[in-house]
């Protein structure tokens, strides 16, 4: 069993022989990016950097973000979302397994008409949460106020990108709201469900 990242042959036009390259670098050359872990500052910075680099290299070719993610940090996720809106290349999003919490916001942030879920994918939305309320009461109140601002911002993004009224999104986000690919399409989070 090989250890590490597999290598694949790749032949550039005009080269006589193929060279061996890292599998993920080869896939990045085809503009496929992966969000397959919890959203944190490290994966956010990697995806932001790749989107900017690939968009600068050729802004006429779409980027593809394949998502199988349980969610994660709101601020890091918003960095990914905002970059998707910023780069000139269009960003297609594809849910290949689970797009939960912040990952569902990234999924809905794809280019309109280019947001896809595989047939057995699951999508979940809910309100932002905090890991802890440690500290003084004043600090807890301040953190709660910031969470309310985040929730309002996220609610407005979902409403804008799904076409659903804000009040409905707000109600849907009260608890973990899981959707099948077809339900997510009806909800406006994805535009298409892939064939099985």
């Amino acid at each position: 069993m090989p250890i590490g990242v597999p290598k694949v042959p790749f032949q550039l036009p005009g080269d006589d022989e193929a060279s061996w390259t890292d599998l993920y670098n080869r896939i990045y050359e085809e503009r496929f990016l992966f969000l397959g872990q919890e959203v944190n500052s490290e994966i956010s910075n990697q995806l932001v950097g790749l989107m900017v680099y690939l968009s600068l290299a050729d802004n006429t070719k779409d980027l593809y973000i394949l998502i199988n993610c349980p969610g994660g940090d709101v601020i890091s996720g918003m960095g990914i979302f905002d970059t998707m809106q910023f780069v000139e290349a269009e960003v297609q999003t594809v849910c290949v397994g689970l797009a939960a919490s912040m990952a569902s916001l990234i999924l809905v942030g794809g280019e309109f008409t280019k947001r896809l879920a595989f047939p057995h994918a699951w999508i979940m939305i809910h309100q932002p949460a905090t890991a802890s309320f440690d500290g003084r009461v004043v600090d807890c109140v301040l953190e709660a106020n910031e969470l309310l601002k985040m929730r309002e911002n996220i609610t407005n993004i979902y409403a804008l990108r799904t076409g659903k009224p804000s009040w409905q999104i707000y109600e849907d986000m009260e608890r973990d709201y899981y959707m099948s690919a077809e339900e997510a399409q009806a909800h406006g989070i994805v535009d298409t469900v892939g064939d099985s």
Side-chain angles (χ1 to χ4, degrees), residues 21-85:
T21 185
D22 173 300
L23 173 67
Y24 286 103
N25 286 328
R26 178 67 186 101
I27 292 171
Y28 295 153
E29 291 172 17
E30 297 299 326
R31 307 174 75 80
F32 286 91
L33 311 175
F34 294 89
L35 178 56
Q37 67 187 63
E38 186 173 320
V39 177
N40 59 32
S41 60
E42 183 179 347
I43 190 68
S44 175
N45 289 335
Q46 289 174 5
L47 285 173
V48 165
L50 284 166
M51 284 189 284
V52 170
Y53 172 77
L54 292 169
S55 183
L56 289 172
D58 187 348
N59 63 12
T60 64
K61 290 184 181 176
D62 287 3
L63 301 171
Y64 303 85
I65 298 180
L66 285 76
I67 302 169
N68 186 16
C69 173
D73 181 55
V74 173
I75 303 301
S76 297
M78 290 306 293
I80 296 169
F81 178 89
D82 287 343
T83 303
M84 293 167 59
Q85 312 314 307

Side-chain angles (χ1 to χ4, degrees), residues 10-12 14-20:
F10 178 65
Q11 187 169 358
L12 290 169
D15 285 355
D16 293 333
E17 292 183 26
S19 60
W20 289 85

